[in-house]
Amino acid sequence: YFNGKSLATFSSHDVIREVVYVESRVDTDQKGLPDLVKVSIIRPRYEGQIPAIMTASPYHQGTNDKASDKALYKMEGELEVKTAHKIELEEPQLNLIQPQGQAELVSEAEEKLSHINSSYTLNDYFLPRGFANLYVSGVGTKDSTGFMTNGDYQQIEAYKNVIDWLNGRCRAFTDHTRQRQVKADWSNGKVATTGLSYLGTMSNGLATTGVDGLEVIIAEAGISSWYNYYRENGLVTSPGGYPGED
């Protein structure tokens, strides 16, 4: 460190690139098993413990744009005059699921990371400065299990569980068989999140959980109110040119 700023003293040419599957506390597909979340890790070689820069993004493994477009509803139509009434809100419930089964503890991950679809330049900057880079796609994305949800408590909880794993409160496995467990013994438990747009929104959501270990979020832009994002005085709006996406 110099004047309180970390220096690029770690090699970025000989880094550890690995993949683990974190056992979440949600069961979005209701199969009776905790959903597994794929975590892609790039970290400098170092004998001690280091902090992590984490980007929570459902885009890392690619998107199915054709299926997404088919899921949009048609917004065109005549507006209806509705009688004024009181709106009843239902308090959302997050049903957590406990870890299941025993697994053999192994010293390191077995799957090597070959490629990141969209690495984050801020993460790249901090890598040689001694920060591990974590790219987390979330539930329901390619190579993870469960169903993709849209900004709800389940999606946030699954991202939060990755921070829990970095602090020894959740398990991670080497693959989907859940037979071999790997610990983040390289982590000092301190995490910062990065991200723009949906990624920043996930950072905002993680901050509301108060999870121990999340020291700072760097949300360059993001949604803080889903209602205000999609509604204007009760009417549906088209944020970013995607009408009907909610």
Side-chain angles (χ1 to χ4, degrees):
Y1 286 83
F2 181 74
N3 286 343
K5 295 183 178 180
S6 56
L7 302 179
T9 54
F10 295 83
S11 171
S12 58
H13 299 287
D14 182 29
V15 294
I16 297 172
R17 303 171 63 91
E18 58 190 358
V19 174
V20 301
Y21 297 87
V22 168
E23 181 182 45
S24 75
R25 292 292 177 267
V26 296
D27 178 20
T28 55
D29 53 13
Q30 298 184 356
K31 290 185 176 180
L33 282 174
D35 294 334
L36 295 181
V37 177
K38 180 179 182 180
V39 181
S40 300
I41 305 169
I42 308 172
R43 57 185 175 91
R45 294 187 182 276
Y46 181 61
E47 293 301 324
Q49 294 181 321
I50 57 175
I53 300 287
M54 170 178 146
T55 303
S57 169
Y59 304 112
H60 289 320
Q61 299 296 314
T63 58
N64 189 336
D65 294 338
K66 289 184 177 180
S68 177
D69 290 342
K70 288 181 179 179
L72 303 183
Y73 65 84
K74 299 293 183 181
M75 290 180 59
E76 296 80 4
E78 296 297 323
L79 297 179
E80 297 180 16
V81 178
K82 297 183 178 180
T83 305
H85 60 282
K86 184 178 180 180
I87 297 176
E88 298 290 341
L89 297 180
E90 181 180 338
E91 187 69 25
Q93 297 296 321
L94 181 60
N95 298 317
L96 300 182
I97 187 168
Q98 297 304 311
Q100 297 186 16
Q102 300 295 321
E104 174 192 359
L105 183 61
V106 296
S107 59
E108 60 184 31
E110 298 172 0
E111 182 177 343
K112 303 304 179 184
L113 175 63
S114 59
H115 177 67
I116 289 288
N117 283 340
S118 54
S119 65
Y120 215 61
T121 54
L122 183 60
N123 301 22
D124 295 338
Y125 173 84
F126 277 110
L127 178 64
R129 287 163 174 79
F131 293 77
N133 288 184
L134 271 67
Y135 294 97
V136 188
S137 304
V139 289
T141 58
K142 182 182 177 183
D143 297 333
S144 296
T145 62
F147 287 147
M148 168 71 183
T149 60
N150 187 30
D152 71 349
Y153 292 120
Q154 295 183 101
Q155 187 179 40
I156 297 298
E157 175 68 21
Y159 284 131
K160 168 184 166 290
N161 295 149
V162 176
I163 299 176
D164 288 327
W165 171 64
L166 293 172
N167 283 273
R169 297 187 295 266
C170 274
R171 299 187 298 181
F173 304 108
T174 59
D175 55 32
H176 282 218
T177 66
R178 309 177 193 239
Q179 294 179 353
R180 293 172 298 283
Q181 175 187 352
V182 59
K183 291 187 176 181
D185 50 11
W186 51 264
S187 168
N188 68 4
K190 296 182 181 297
V191 183
T193 63
T194 58
L196 172 71
S197 188
Y198 201 105
L199 288 59
T201 303
M202 296 298 97
S203 290
N204 287 339
L206 281 166
T208 67
T209 68
V211 58
D212 184 31
L214 180 57
E215 301 294 326
V216 62
I217 68 167
I218 306 173
E220 298 173 52
I223 299 167
S224 55
S225 168
W226 284 104
Y227 182 86
N228 289 333
Y229 181 70
Y230 283 116
R231 299 290 185 271
E232 184 68 35
N233 295 321
L235 296 180
V236 177
T237 57
S238 302
Y242 296 97
E245 68 170 4
D246 64 329

